[in-house]
Amino acid sequence: MYTHQNSAILLIHCHDHKGIVVSVTEFIHKNNGNILYLDQHVDHKENEFFMRVQWDLTGFAIPTEKISDYFSTLVGERYNMNYDLYFADKPQRLAIFISHLPHCVYDILSRVSSQEWNVEIPLIISNHEKLRHVAEEFNIPFYHIPITKDNKIEQEQNILSLLAEHKIDLVILARYMQILSESFTQSFPHQVINIHHSFLPAFPGAKPYHSAYERGVKLIGATSHYVTPELDGGPIITQGVTDVTHKDTVENMKRKGFDLEKIVLSKAIWSHIQRKTLIYNNKTIVFE
Amino acid sequence: MYTHQNSAILLIHCHDHKGIVVSVTEFIHKNNGNILYLDQHVDHKENEFFMRVQWDLTGFAIPTEKISDYFSTLVGERYNMNYDLYFADKPQRLAIFISHLPHCVYDILSRVSSQEWNVEIPLIISNHEKLRHVAEEFNIPFYHIPITKDNKIEQEQNILSLLAEHKIDLVILARYMQILSESFTQSFPHQVINIHHSFLPAFPGAKPYHSAYERGVKLIGATSHYVTPELDGGPIITQGVTDVTHKDTVENMKRKGFDLEKIVLSKAIWSHIQRKTLIYNNKTIVFE
Amino acid sequence: MYTHQNSAILLIHCHDHKGIVVSVTEFIHKNNGNILYLDQHVDHKENEFFMRVQWDLTGFAIPTEKISDYFSTLVGERYNMNYDLYFADKPQRLAIFISHLPHCVYDILSRVSSQEWNVEIPLIISNHEKLRHVAEEFNIPFYHIPITKDNKIEQEQNILSLLAEHKIDLVILARYMQILSESFTQSFPHQVINIHHSFLPAFPGAKPYHSAYERGVKLIGATSHYVTPELDGGPIITQGVTDVTHKDTVENMKRKGFDLEKIVLSKAIWSHIQRKTLIYNNKTIVFE
Amino acid sequence: MYTHQNSAILLIHCHDHKGIVVSVTEFIHKNNGNILYLDQHVDHKENEFFMRVQWDLTGFAIPTEKISDYFSTLVGERYNMNYDLYFADKPQRLAIFISHLPHCVYDILSRVSSQEWNVEIPLIISNHEKLRHVAEEFNIPFYHIPITKDNKIEQEQNILSLLAEHKIDLVILARYMQILSESFTQSFPHQVINIHHSFLPAFPGAKPYHSAYERGVKLIGATSHYVTPELDGGPIITQGVTDVTHKDTVENMKRKGFDLEKIVLSKAIWSHIQRKTLIYNNKTIVFE
């Protein structure tokens, strides 16, 4: 499903100036790169500039390992840019954190198994034994790391060691029912994606379907976001909703919500692994 | 667009018991009524029963003016029912309250002018002069009733007099930018419908699009609800959402939101005027 | 997820007459059954009546095995009804037919494994070897039954034998890339559900995403339907769509469509296994 | 609602080459223009390049009336471009064609009256008298031009004269129940937008809601498209759908469809008047 593997992706963020697009595209053009996708966004209110450009590396004049250096010297420094350079053919390495509910992890694993996504999943971590069978069905190492108030700091250290050991690029909280500590989330800035089962900012925290039922809303939602120290307060990547009626019990809402959660989470992951997301001011730019 | 005009509608609410559906349908059947629509809902958690039944009055054995009395004696009292009896051919009388923004009132008036709805609009009330031209375009009396902190109680009394004089059944707040007093809303229980420009309970109160922009949500919404003394806290009738992206400024969100608001409000009005809404526990049952 | 297991479900279809609802509900009420759900639909144009009623069997006066007989004598014959009686606690037995694409079968199996659905899957049948691993991951017997022009009749007989042997109630074509013969579909009337990857009646037959791309539509869809001898012409159960833009290649449409297909198919299966579907005039009644 | 009025818009289409984005942005940059929006699309399959760029004219070095000439010489000819230059502050002039149904024209007129759109509507044309009152409510000249088999050619000439006289940029068929002749549509290439009441290519031609009802679809749609000689076969701009169930009669589908039609049509008009649409191969590129 993934094409143009031999291509480079630049994600750029800086203050807006005249001439940035020219400079970036010229850099690629003069070095014989063919632009495959170019998306840019100017936040006119904040005067900030964001860009994603992907180009074919076939015949590109600058060797792969020197592109970042050259770009920095020739373009980046001039505009005081923040930028990241990625190569589309390199699979990202994901760790999945789960607890009791399997619908999201099943959705993710079936996409990986189908080669819909170009990622590797070296491990699944859970604070419960219950879903070990899911990991085993897909032949992925499963780590049971139960967390209590008393062992939380220690266990998070163990988790961080595992993530480092397995060179994890991205952590997915697939209905993981533990709140990560501030120090944990700061160790993985913008690299932890959560799915919350409400249309945030409505119903943050625990038991959002119960709250939705009590309030009598006519739609329920799901929100995937980058995790920050503020609970359910990080930059939103994707949201979805579905209709409910007076007939829907809390149980029904959960059942309907499962479908929403798994699709919304997988869309967010897909945006991230294509390197189409940028973060600014606790909000996301998600290029299409 | 409205059919079966010579028909009766019963909206029923009581504790759930075995035999209610039999009793109600038997009452209609034995008196030679043909059921056109029957919807019922049991809230198993609260053990409450809700029903809407509409039947053709052609050849019905009980005279129209005595149906309520007979039903009460033969069925209602047995189950300690709350019920309302309506006749589908009687047009309801709506008052529209507006301020600066015309999209919702235009949507309503164009439906009435097109005979999409069987309602009468004897008056439009506004706290500003700005939209007088809209009322005039559709030849509807326009009352400019400006409200300040000091004259609020007095002006609400004037409004209530107008509503009484014009025999108003239902008040529509079509982006009316005034908070009605508790005594006003209690004079019209479940007869005032508001449109709020967010997916409640997210972003109640003022400037929800600004708040949505600040939070970086990926969908914006609109909610129509019955007005209660609690601001934006009444029973929700209809909700809708539409996608937004990082490209959408507050102005864009407003523009996208206008389409949502008018359609969501009109759907709620349509449900109400068909007598398809019931209220319980600050929530609605909305039959389809 | 499935509740009220000790309950009976009646699906009823007959010409519309006054008194049917009374007769059915009275039958349940007099025998001490408590109605859990009652849905009815009258097709006023065709004068046809449809009903689904589910009631708690706790304390029901008629023994389970005699309900159908009693109902027939006391109610069914009077109105010349077609009806089916089901018991909610009995799991249905599904066979899944697949070919190359795993997204739908993964979605189904993960729901079964999660106990989201009360069904049994005794076997998976495929005309290719490719997805054997999926069946193995979930420990379900996999039958590779390749079909060619020459062996089609014979192989379909083999399949029918397997279905009979395993007492299959429902066949799911989860992107099965073979057209079943007329005699096959007639052996399983209204018991074969297919997912077609377009919003039918647009783009029936092969390669609908290519056709959608060529036509330049702005939304793509998926349709689940009961299979009849007419290709992609059977009664529609569920449909869904998702937006596409000029940026979406055929490959992108397929990727977006996968999410739609699996959700739409699973919704249709869920309606069917809850016994909420009726068929008339090549159309479905799908109760909520 | 419309901002950056003192700005220029270039819509560009040519074969894809390396360096186009550089050349275009350099042209703007070197002449002191600040890019407000830049969208580009490459159809890699057809090797075609499309771009929309909008820049602030404040302080732009080239006088407004010479921009096209300079651009052609300095950039356009080099790449053999098709391009159009527009100025965002110039209101476009629309003619609305209607017949019996007022929902779309009401939606358009209320947007214009609300200054949601920066357009002028010098005239409304209808083949019936029925909706004259709508034009009068909004104080717009109404021309009743009835069309029969015998007078069609002559009446279309009269219409074309009116359009020329009023310097019309865009014709909106707002449920106009006449098929325009090939010669008419060719006189206004890509300047006539129609709303068709189905999700094309399903149900082209007359009575799509009847066909949708007969087929038993679970969603109905609306499609706005540029008009070409092929009936309902022109490039699609926008599509929308809404759910229907077995309960929906043809009348209900029409009522639900009205809301869809007016919103879908207005979205298409909004895209066009912002100069965000390009046409290629009977398909549209619609920038966001």
Side-chain angles (χ1 to χ4, degrees):
Chain A
M1 297 297 283
Y2 25 89
T3 48
H4 301 306
Q5 296 205 352
N6 191 22
S7 62
I9 297 163
L10 264 172
L11 279 178
I12 295 167
H13 171 207
C14 60
H15 291 301
D16 192 26
H17 292 284
K18 288 186 187 176
I20 302 175
V21 176
V22 174
S23 300
V24 174
T25 53
E26 217 171 47
F27 170 80
I28 296 166
H29 179 52
K30 286 199 171 160
N31 291 297
N32 208 31
N34 192 29
I35 292 172
L36 299 168
Y37 299 103
L38 184 159
D39 287 294
Q40 58 107 42
H41 170 61
V42 180
D43 184 328
H44 292 291
K45 204 174 147 226
E46 305 284 343
N47 203 38
E48 295 292 321
F49 177 86
F50 305 89
M51 187 172 181
R52 180 188 185 277
V53 60
Q54 182 167 7
W55 71 97
D56 193 344
L57 287 173
T58 315
F60 194 58
I62 306 171
T64 299
E65 69 280 8
K66 292 192 178 162
I67 295 173
S68 183
D69 184 31
Y70 278 48
F71 181 77
S72 174
T73 307
L74 297 172
V75 185
E77 287 171 14
R78 181 162 23 139
Y79 297 101
N80 202 18
M81 281 177 179
N82 294 308
Y83 70 89
D84 289 297
L85 177 70
Y86 302 104
F87 298 100
D89 60 349
K90 186 164 174 264
Q92 288 163 66
R93 293 170 68 81
L94 277 56
I96 319 289
F97 288 25
I98 57 179
S99 294
H100 293 294
L101 293 169
H103 53 288
C104 288
V105 67
Y106 265 135
D107 198 65
I108 292 166
L109 297 181
S110 66
R111 288 170 200 269
V112 178
S113 168
S114 311
Q115 295 179 282
E116 192 180 314
W117 293 346
N118 179 25
V119 303
E120 289 163 4
I121 308 220
L123 79 168
I124 290 174
I125 287 171
S126 179
N127 52 337
H128 294 278
E129 273 290 347
K130 189 182 169 197
L131 298 181
R132 178 182 289 275
H133 71 98
V134 178
E136 288 175 355
E137 282 158 14
F138 287 84
N139 212 18
I140 293 171
F142 176 88
Y143 293 84
H144 176 212
I145 304 183
I147 290 184
T148 64
K149 262 186 199 165
D150 295 337
N151 73 4
K152 183 158 184 159
I153 295 170
E154 190 190 325
Q155 291 289 55
E156 284 198 348
Q157 283 307 317
N158 292 332
I159 293 174
L160 284 169
S161 301
L162 277 169
L163 300 183
E165 179 192 328
H166 288 281
K167 298 188 170 59
I168 294 302
D169 299 304
L170 183 67
V171 171
I172 307 299
L173 308 185
R175 296 297 306 271
Y176 180 63
M177 292 287 127
Q178 273 289 326
I179 297 171
L180 298 171
S181 72
E182 185 159 341
S183 78
F184 187 100
T185 59
Q186 282 168 349
S187 313
F188 264 79
H190 305 156
Q191 287 163 286
V192 182
I193 292 179
N194 183 42
I195 179 73
H196 182 74
H197 39 315
S198 82
F199 49 94
L200 290 173
F203 312 128
K207 293 196 174 270
Y209 291 125
H210 288 80
S211 306
Y213 177 84
E214 289 307 321
R215 179 61 187 92
V217 294
K218 297 301 183 186
L219 46 82
I220 54 170
T223 304
S224 63
H225 61 92
Y226 288 108
V227 174
T228 60
E230 190 194 344
L231 181 64
D232 298 328
I236 294 170
I237 310 168
T238 325
Q239 294 189 289
V241 294
T242 196
D243 292 339
V244 292
T245 75
H246 58 274
K247 294 185 186 175
D248 287 300
T249 59
V250 171
E251 279 308 299
N252 265 353
M253 287 184 177
K254 284 183 186 173
R255 195 186 48 72
K256 285 185 171 183
F258 285 174
D259 282 8
L260 208 54
E261 294 161 26
K262 71 188 188 187
I263 298 295
V264 166
L265 176 57
S266 286
K267 275 188 185 165
I269 298 172
W270 177 239
S271 289
H272 181 97
I273 61 180
Q274 290 180 289
R275 309 298 190 183
K276 292 194 165 176
T277 60
L278 278 156
I279 295 173
Y280 177 67
N281 254 359
N282 203 43
K283 303 200 281 187
T284 60
I285 287 94
V286 182
F287 290 119
E288 231 187 279
Chain B
M1 297 297 284
Y2 25 90
T3 49
H4 301 305
Q5 296 204 353
N6 191 21
S7 62
I9 298 162
L10 265 172
L11 280 178
I12 295 167
H13 172 206
C14 60
H15 291 300
D16 192 26
H17 292 284
K18 286 185 188 176
I20 301 175
V21 175
V22 174
S23 300
V24 174
T25 54
E26 218 172 45
F27 170 80
I28 296 166
H29 178 52
K30 285 197 171 162
N31 291 297
N32 209 30
N34 192 30
I35 291 171
L36 299 169
Y37 299 103
L38 185 160
D39 287 292
Q40 58 107 41
H41 171 61
V42 180
D43 183 329
H44 292 292
K45 205 175 148 225
E46 305 284 344
N47 203 38
E48 296 290 322
F49 177 86
F50 305 89
M51 186 174 182
R52 181 189 185 274
V53 61
Q54 181 168 7
W55 70 98
D56 193 343
L57 287 173
T58 314
F60 194 57
I62 305 172
T64 300
E65 67 280 8
K66 292 191 178 163
I67 295 173
S68 183
D69 184 30
Y70 277 47
F71 181 77
S72 174
T73 307
L74 296 172
V75 185
E77 287 170 16
R78 184 166 17 143
Y79 296 101
N80 202 17
M81 281 178 179
N82 294 308
Y83 69 89
D84 290 297
L85 178 70
Y86 302 104
F87 298 99
D89 60 350
K90 188 166 173 262
Q92 289 163 66
R93 294 170 68 81
L94 277 56
I96 318 290
F97 288 25
I98 57 179
S99 294
H100 292 294
L101 293 169
H103 55 288
C104 288
V105 67
Y106 265 135
D107 198 64
I108 292 166
L109 297 181
S110 66
R111 288 169 200 271
V112 179
S113 168
S114 312
Q115 296 179 283
E116 191 180 315
W117 293 346
N118 179 26
V119 302
E120 290 162 4
I121 309 218
L123 78 169
I124 290 174
I125 287 171
S126 180
N127 52 339
H128 294 277
E129 273 290 346
K130 188 181 170 198
L131 298 181
R132 179 183 289 275
H133 71 96
V134 177
E136 287 175 355
E137 282 158 14
F138 287 84
N139 211 18
I140 292 171
F142 176 87
Y143 293 84
H144 176 212
I145 304 184
I147 290 184
T148 64
K149 262 186 198 165
D150 295 336
N151 72 4
K152 182 157 184 159
I153 294 170
E154 190 190 326
Q155 292 288 55
E156 284 198 349
Q157 282 307 317
N158 292 333
I159 292 174
L160 284 169
S161 300
L162 278 169
L163 301 182
E165 180 191 327
H166 288 281
K167 297 188 171 57
I168 294 301
D169 299 304
L170 183 67
V171 171
I172 306 300
L173 307 185
R175 295 300 304 273
Y176 181 63
M177 291 287 127
Q178 272 290 325
I179 296 171
L180 298 171
S181 72
E182 185 159 340
S183 78
F184 186 101
T185 60
Q186 281 167 350
S187 312
F188 264 79
H190 305 156
Q191 287 163 284
V192 182
I193 293 178
N194 183 44
I195 179 72
H196 182 74
H197 39 314
S198 82
F199 51 94
L200 291 173
F203 312 127
K207 294 195 174 268
Y209 292 125
H210 288 81
S211 306
Y213 178 84
E214 289 307 320
R215 180 61 188 91
V217 293
K218 297 302 184 187
L219 48 81
I220 54 170
T223 304
S224 62
H225 61 92
Y226 288 109
V227 174
T228 61
E230 191 195 343
L231 180 64
D232 299 328
I236 293 171
I237 309 168
T238 325
Q239 295 189 288
V241 293
T242 196
D243 292 341
V244 291
T245 75
H246 59 274
K247 293 186 187 176
D248 286 300
T249 59
V250 172
E251 281 306 299
N252 265 353
M253 286 184 176
K254 284 183 186 173
R255 195 186 50 71
K256 285 185 170 182
F258 286 174
D259 283 8
L260 209 53
E261 294 162 25
K262 72 187 189 188
I263 297 295
V264 165
L265 176 57
S266 287
K267 275 188 185 164
I269 298 172
W270 176 240
S271 289
H272 181 96
I273 61 180
Q274 291 180 292
R275 310 296 189 184
K276 292 196 165 176
T277 60
L278 278 157
I279 295 173
Y280 177 67
N281 253 0
N282 202 44
K283 302 200 281 187
T284 60
I285 288 93
V286 182
F287 290 120
E288 232 188 275
Chain C
M1 298 298 284
Y2 26 90
T3 48
H4 301 305
Q5 297 205 352
N6 191 21
S7 62
I9 298 162
L10 265 172
L11 279 178
I12 296 167
H13 171 208
C14 61
H15 290 300
D16 191 27
H17 292 284
K18 288 185 187 175
I20 301 176
V21 175
V22 175
S23 299
V24 174
T25 54
E26 218 172 44
F27 169 81
I28 296 166
H29 179 52
K30 286 198 170 161
N31 290 297
N32 209 29
N34 192 30
I35 292 171
L36 299 169
Y37 299 104
L38 185 159
D39 288 292
Q40 57 107 40
H41 171 61
V42 180
D43 184 329
H44 293 291
K45 203 174 148 225
E46 305 283 344
N47 203 38
E48 296 290 321
F49 176 88
F50 305 89
M51 187 172 181
R52 180 188 185 277
V53 61
Q54 182 168 6
W55 71 98
D56 193 345
L57 287 174
T58 315
F60 195 57
I62 305 171
T64 300
E65 68 279 8
K66 292 192 178 162
I67 295 172
S68 183
D69 184 30
Y70 278 47
F71 181 77
S72 173
T73 307
L74 297 171
V75 184
E77 287 172 15
R78 183 165 18 144
Y79 297 101
N80 202 18
M81 282 178 178
N82 294 308
Y83 70 89
D84 289 295
L85 177 71
Y86 303 104
F87 298 100
D89 61 348
K90 187 166 175 262
Q92 289 163 65
R93 294 170 66 81
L94 278 56
I96 318 290
F97 288 25
I98 56 179
S99 294
H100 292 295
L101 293 168
H103 55 288
C104 288
V105 68
Y106 265 134
D107 197 65
I108 293 166
L109 296 181
S110 66
R111 288 169 200 270
V112 178
S113 168
S114 314
Q115 294 178 282
E116 192 180 314
W117 292 346
N118 180 24
V119 303
E120 290 163 2
I121 308 217
L123 78 169
I124 290 173
I125 287 170
S126 179
N127 53 338
H128 293 277
E129 273 291 346
K130 187 181 170 198
L131 298 180
R132 178 183 289 275
H133 71 97
V134 178
E136 288 174 353
E137 282 157 14
F138 287 84
N139 212 18
I140 293 171
F142 177 86
Y143 293 83
H144 176 212
I145 304 184
I147 289 185
T148 63
K149 261 188 200 165
D150 294 338
N151 73 3
K152 181 158 187 160
I153 294 169
E154 190 189 326
Q155 291 289 55
E156 283 197 349
Q157 281 308 316
N158 292 333
I159 292 175
L160 284 170
S161 301
L162 277 168
L163 300 182
E165 179 191 329
H166 289 280
K167 297 189 172 58
I168 294 303
D169 299 303
L170 183 67
V171 170
I172 308 299
L173 308 185
R175 298 296 307 271
Y176 181 63
M177 293 286 128
Q178 271 290 324
I179 297 171
L180 298 171
S181 72
E182 186 160 341
S183 79
F184 186 100
T185 60
Q186 282 167 349
S187 313
F188 264 79
H190 306 157
Q191 288 164 285
V192 182
I193 292 179
N194 183 43
I195 179 72
H196 182 74
H197 39 314
S198 81
F199 50 95
L200 289 174
F203 312 127
K207 294 194 174 268
Y209 291 124
H210 288 82
S211 305
Y213 178 84
E214 289 306 321
R215 180 59 187 91
V217 293
K218 297 301 184 187
L219 48 81
I220 55 169
T223 303
S224 63
H225 61 92
Y226 288 108
V227 173
T228 60
E230 190 194 345
L231 179 65
D232 299 327
I236 292 170
I237 309 168
T238 325
Q239 295 190 289
V241 294
T242 197
D243 292 340
V244 291
T245 75
H246 59 273
K247 294 185 187 176
D248 286 301
T249 59
V250 171
E251 280 306 300
N252 266 352
M253 287 185 177
K254 284 184 187 173
R255 195 186 49 71
K256 285 185 170 183
F258 285 173
D259 282 8
L260 207 54
E261 294 161 26
K262 71 187 188 189
I263 298 294
V264 165
L265 176 58
S266 286
K267 276 189 184 164
I269 297 171
W270 176 241
S271 289
H272 181 97
I273 62 180
Q274 290 179 291
R275 309 298 189 184
K276 292 195 165 176
T277 60
L278 278 157
I279 295 172
Y280 177 66
N281 254 1
N282 203 44
K283 301 200 282 189
T284 60
I285 287 94
V286 182
F287 290 119
E288 230 188 277
Chain D
M1 299 296 283
Y2 26 88
T3 50
H4 300 307
Q5 295 204 355
N6 191 22
S7 63
I9 298 162
L10 265 172
L11 279 178
I12 296 167
H13 171 207
C14 60
H15 290 302
D16 191 27
H17 292 284
K18 287 185 187 176
I20 301 176
V21 176
V22 174
S23 300
V24 174
T25 54
E26 217 172 45
F27 169 80
I28 296 166
H29 179 52
K30 286 197 169 161
N31 292 297
N32 209 31
N34 192 30
I35 291 172
L36 299 168
Y37 298 103
L38 184 160
D39 287 293
Q40 57 108 40
H41 171 62
V42 180
D43 183 330
H44 292 291
K45 204 175 147 225
E46 304 284 344
N47 204 37
E48 297 290 322
F49 177 87
F50 306 89
M51 187 173 183
R52 180 189 184 276
V53 62
Q54 181 169 5
W55 70 98
D56 194 344
L57 288 173
T58 314
F60 194 58
I62 305 172
T64 299
E65 69 278 9
K66 291 192 178 162
I67 295 173
S68 183
D69 184 30
Y70 278 47
F71 182 76
S72 174
T73 307
L74 297 172
V75 184
E77 286 171 16
R78 180 159 29 134
Y79 297 101
N80 202 18
M81 281 177 178
N82 294 309
Y83 70 88
D84 289 296
L85 177 71
Y86 302 103
F87 298 99
D89 61 349
K90 186 162 176 268
Q92 289 164 64
R93 295 170 66 81
L94 276 57
I96 318 290
F97 289 24
I98 57 180
S99 294
H100 292 294
L101 293 169
H103 54 288
C104 288
V105 68
Y106 264 134
D107 198 65
I108 292 166
L109 296 181
S110 66
R111 288 169 199 270
V112 178
S113 167
S114 312
Q115 296 180 280
E116 193 180 313
W117 292 346
N118 179 25
V119 302
E120 291 163 2
I121 309 220
L123 79 169
I124 291 174
I125 287 171
S126 179
N127 53 338
H128 294 277
E129 273 291 347
K130 188 182 169 197
L131 298 181
R132 178 183 289 276
H133 71 96
V134 178
E136 288 175 353
E137 282 158 14
F138 287 84
N139 211 18
I140 292 171
F142 177 86
Y143 293 84
H144 176 212
I145 304 183
I147 290 185
T148 64
K149 261 187 200 165
D150 295 337
N151 73 4
K152 183 159 185 158
I153 295 170
E154 190 190 324
Q155 291 289 56
E156 285 197 348
Q157 281 308 316
N158 292 333
I159 292 174
L160 285 170
S161 301
L162 278 169
L163 301 182
E165 180 191 327
H166 289 280
K167 295 189 171 57
I168 294 303
D169 297 305
L170 182 66
V171 171
I172 307 299
L173 307 185
R175 296 297 308 270
Y176 180 64
M177 291 288 127
Q178 272 289 327
I179 297 170
L180 298 172
S181 72
E182 185 160 342
S183 80
F184 186 101
T185 60
Q186 282 167 348
S187 313
F188 264 79
H190 305 157
Q191 288 163 285
V192 183
I193 292 178
N194 183 43
I195 179 71
H196 182 74
H197 39 313
S198 82
F199 50 94
L200 290 173
F203 311 127
K207 294 195 173 269
Y209 291 125
H210 288 82
S211 306
Y213 178 83
E214 288 307 320
R215 180 60 187 92
V217 292
K218 298 300 185 188
L219 47 82
I220 54 169
T223 304
S224 63
H225 61 93
Y226 289 108
V227 174
T228 59
E230 190 194 343
L231 180 64
D232 299 327
I236 293 170
I237 309 167
T238 324
Q239 295 190 288
V241 293
T242 197
D243 291 341
V244 291
T245 75
H246 59 274
K247 294 185 186 175
D248 286 300
T249 58
V250 171
E251 281 306 299
N252 266 353
M253 288 184 175
K254 284 183 186 172
R255 194 185 49 72
K256 285 185 171 182
F258 286 174
D259 282 8
L260 207 55
E261 293 161 26
K262 71 187 188 187
I263 298 296
V264 166
L265 176 57
S266 287
K267 275 189 185 163
I269 297 172
W270 176 240
S271 289
H272 181 97
I273 62 180
Q274 290 180 289
R275 309 300 190 182
K276 292 195 165 175
T277 59
L278 278 156
I279 295 172
Y280 177 66
N281 254 0
N282 203 44
K283 303 200 281 189
T284 60
I285 286 94
V286 182
F287 290 119
E288 231 187 277

